[in-house]
Amino acid sequence: MSAVVDLSRLAPGFAQPALDSQTVFRTCLDALADPGRVKHLAGGILESPPAGASPAAVAVLLALLDQDTPLWLGEGLRDGDVAAYLRFHTGCPIVRSPAEAGFALLAGGDEAASLSDFMQGSETFPDRSATLVVQCDGLSNTRDAMDGAGGWRLTGPGIREQAWLQVAGARADFPRQWASNRKCFPCGVDVFFASGLSLAGLPRTTRLEA
Amino acid sequence: MNVSDLPAPVERDANFNFAYLDERTKRMIRRAILKAVSIPGYQVPFGSREMPLPYGWGTGGIQVTASIIGPSDVLKVIDQGADDTVNAVNIRRFFQRTTAVEVTTRTTDATIIQTRHRIPETPLAAGQVLVYQVPLPEPLQKLEPREVETRSMHGLAEYGLMHVKLYEDIARFGHIATTYDYPVMVDGRYLMAPSPIPKFDNPKMHMCPALQLFGAGREKRIYAVPPWTKVESLAFDDHPFEVQRWSQPCAMCGDTGSFLDEVITDDAGGRMFVCSDTDHCLARRTADE
């Protein structure tokens, strides 16, 4: 983490901070209240997101992070433009250990950390747990295979009967990790998958069958 | 009352940030709301701010609404079902002045409905958000005043005390005497206070297509029920949950299935029963014409 940031190379944040944060937050709220359903950002679209990050993922973090939210960055993001960009625009501290992070940004295939390495909350304060923004290669609500693997079947609060979600580029063992995360309820982490301008939310209440 | 009958819209006051709260406060409340949705029924602590109206006037609901509202939202505010009572009028003006959003009295047109103590009679739709003003978020508080204790009771899902309280009602009165703020279990895990809505409204929370958010300003708690979530009113096998019924229809629209308010009409004991939900009552009357 370099101490000196070249401001001339730093990309701008939201064009309208108050309104753009609101639009992005509502998309996040909608994504968690309707788990798995792919949502598209209607506003808060960044003209030039930092290299290596999807515009949706960066927009979510710009909307939710500030000095109170330690951020952990996954493999390949730690030393790049993303870290400098988020530190400058949100003032968030960047931490080295997933266990200290309130938020995390990582690639879908990142094997440096498992869901259980992040802050889980406690029985008495389950809200003190991490929110993960996981970048992936594509999101779809179709049931049939997108890249060989079938979709995940989702059930739980927010879903009327069932929903299907396919995440291209997620870790192969994600369903197994998610099952242990679900078992910890009310503790556990919550996940946003982000790809391009699309988002899908997985609150810890959602049951997932691969 | 129609939208056209509402007082002339108040000008947006550019001296306030959009939706009154500063951005950092909104972010903090937004993070609390996201955690609340992820843990249905759990009360998330948040840093409640001083608002330009006193505690008890819906400061929690206002902070939640201010954190979620955007320029394209359509806002409805009700106080005990009515759009034209003082609390509703003031909160609606507050949001007109700080956001310039469109306001409505029609349940079906609203994207955000802030409510004090009622759920509209018109069924809510997917995509709508219902924001409750909550005075006492902790259902166990009257039974166990220590927060450390109630928090660990929630952690352990140890809710026997509430069943004892309902049982004592039955032992004393022959029936469960709680008629409002009737405790519910959310998704089979958390005991939750539905805010002082009449128990008549409890069944509407179950598998509701709309998102329900609860804000308690003085007590500094936010909680939520996501759409399509099981919400079960506590009861016993031999004393099932029942809602209020009236022996007469609404005196104005004739509805037999809505929640009725008793209105005293003179000094000689005259009274009438009318719908508490003014929009519902008006819609039925105009449909008849």
Side-chain angles (χ1 to χ4, degrees), chain A residues 22 26 64 124 127 158 190, chain B residues 31 35 42 68 73 151 155 227:
Chain A
Q22 188 274 337
R26 274 296 276 279
L64 296 174
T124 43
D127 57 303
D190 308 302
Chain B
R31 292 193 296 260
K35 287 298 171 197
Y42 167 76
I68 64 172
D73 276 309
R151 187 165 284 282

Side-chain angles (χ1 to χ4, degrees), chain A residues 107-110 134-137 147 152 167-175 193:
Chain A
D110 193 334
V134 180
Q135 306 199 77
C136 56
D137 304 329
D147 59 349
W152 298 332
V167 180
R171 279 175 70 166
D173 64 349
F174 185 84
F193 286 106

Side-chain angles (χ1 to χ4, degrees), chain B:
Chain B
M1 189 170 66
N2 295 313
V3 184
S4 55
D5 299 336
L6 286 174
V10 189
E11 288 282 309
R12 162 98 165 91
D13 187 336
N15 291 311
F16 292 112
N17 186 29
F18 182 82
Y20 185 77
L21 296 172
D22 62 276
E23 289 305 306
R24 195 169 171 189
T25 299
K26 281 196 245 175
R27 270 194 300 273
M28 173 268 296
I29 295 175
R30 285 168 182 168
R31 292 193 296 260
I33 293 173
L34 292 180
K35 287 298 171 197
V37 171
S38 298
I39 318 166
Y42 167 76
Q43 303 160 50
V44 182
F46 80 109
S48 180
R49 298 294 188 250
E50 199 161 315
M51 298 300 284
L53 74 173
Y55 288 139
W57 285 73
T59 52
I62 292 173
Q63 289 178 79
V64 170
T65 302
S67 302
I68 64 172
I69 200 166
S72 56
D73 276 309
V74 180
L75 178 70
K76 171 181 165 80
V77 186
I78 52 173
D79 169 7
Q80 303 266 17
D83 293 276
D84 53 358
T85 44
V86 68
N87 195 217
V89 171
N90 276 310
I91 293 171
R92 195 163 50 227
R93 274 172 56 94
F94 173 81
F95 281 110
Q96 283 183 309
R97 190 162 166 207
T98 56
T99 65
V101 294
E102 193 184 331
V103 294
T104 184
T105 60
R106 297 174 68 100
T107 304
T108 45
D109 294 346
T111 57
I112 299 176
I113 302 171
Q114 181 168 333
T115 174
R116 174 178 172 273
H117 310 352
R118 269 316 304 280
I119 299 175
E121 304 289 356
T122 314
L124 300 176
Q128 289 183 308
V129 184
L130 187 59
V131 179
Y132 295 75
Q133 301 169 200
V134 182
L136 294 171
E138 178 50 74
L140 298 164
Q141 193 180 47
K142 283 183 182 154
L143 308 170
E144 171 53 72
R146 289 167 296 182
E147 205 244 346
V148 173
E149 291 296 319
T150 55
R151 187 165 284 282
S152 99
M153 288 157 85
H154 283 295
L156 301 166
E158 176 50 67
Y159 298 131
L161 203 57
M162 185 54 89
H163 281 102
V164 171
K165 191 252 176 201
L166 297 179
Y167 169 74
E168 283 179 350
D169 266 9
I170 295 169
R172 196 175 300 166
F173 306 110
H175 60 98
I176 297 174
T178 306
T179 54
Y180 64 95
D181 211 351
Y182 191 103
V184 294
M185 284 297 285
V186 180
D187 197 34
R189 176 57 180 82
Y190 276 100
L191 182 71
M192 187 187 91
S195 86
I197 57 171
K199 68 176 178 180
F200 179 88
D201 285 340
N202 275 22
K204 297 177 191 165
M205 304 178 86
H206 177 67
M207 296 305 264
C208 176
L211 172 64
Q212 304 173 72
L213 301 175
F214 299 76
R218 177 180 44 210
E219 304 290 330
K220 302 176 174 57
R221 295 290 184 274
I222 286 172
Y223 51 105
V225 176
W228 308 115
T229 300
K230 283 176 277 179
V231 178
E232 188 195 349
S233 304
L234 294 188
F236 299 99
D237 288 347
D238 54 346
H239 282 87
F241 175 77
E242 282 173 347
V243 300
Q244 297 98 323
R245 294 274 170 241
W246 286 263
S247 54
Q248 48 191 304
C250 168
M252 290 167 83
C253 74
D255 194 356
T256 51
S258 76
F259 188 83
L260 301 183
D261 284 338
E262 184 179 4
V263 180
I264 307 292
T265 51
D266 55 32
D267 290 341
R271 64 193 58 199
M272 65 195 277
F273 286 87
V274 295
C275 289
S276 130
D277 185 335
T278 51
D279 171 59
H280 171 76
C281 194
L282 183 86
R284 281 178 50 87
R285 278 180 280 142
T286 45
D288 292 344
E289 281 165 11

Side-chain angles (χ1 to χ4, degrees), chain A residues 61-201:
Chain A
L61 295 174
L62 277 186
L64 296 174
L65 295 187
D66 56 26
Q67 295 89 321
D68 300 330
T69 50
L71 172 71
W72 182 84
L73 292 167
E75 211 62 54
L77 299 164
R78 239 161 279 172
D79 305 309
D81 291 350
V82 181
Y85 180 89
L86 288 172
R87 260 210 318 195
F88 177 81
H89 285 293
T90 70
C92 66
I94 292 180
V95 292
R96 292 190 171 275
S97 154
E100 297 166 10
F103 280 80
L105 174 67
L106 60 159
D110 193 334
E111 307 222 336
S114 310
L115 295 182
S116 56
D117 296 336
F118 292 93
M119 226 158 42
Q120 303 286 306
S122 61
E123 291 284 333
T124 43
F125 285 99
D127 57 303
R128 295 181 183 170
S129 55
T131 305
L132 273 54
V133 180
V134 180
Q135 306 199 77
C136 56
D137 304 329
L139 291 168
S140 150
N141 285 127
T142 50
R143 179 178 178 171
D144 298 324
M146 190 160 61
D147 59 349
W152 298 332
R153 180 175 170 271
L154 310 178
T155 51
I159 303 168
R160 191 174 190 175
E161 279 158 4
Q162 59 179 16
W164 295 91
L165 176 66
Q166 289 191 56
V167 180
R171 279 175 70 166
D173 64 349
F174 185 84
R176 192 185 50 76
Q177 287 192 37
W178 188 257
S180 347
N181 189 60
R182 179 71 191 78
K183 223 175 268 171
C184 296
F185 189 85
C187 301
V189 300
D190 308 302
V191 172
F192 289 105
F193 286 106
S195 163
L197 290 172
S198 308
L199 271 183

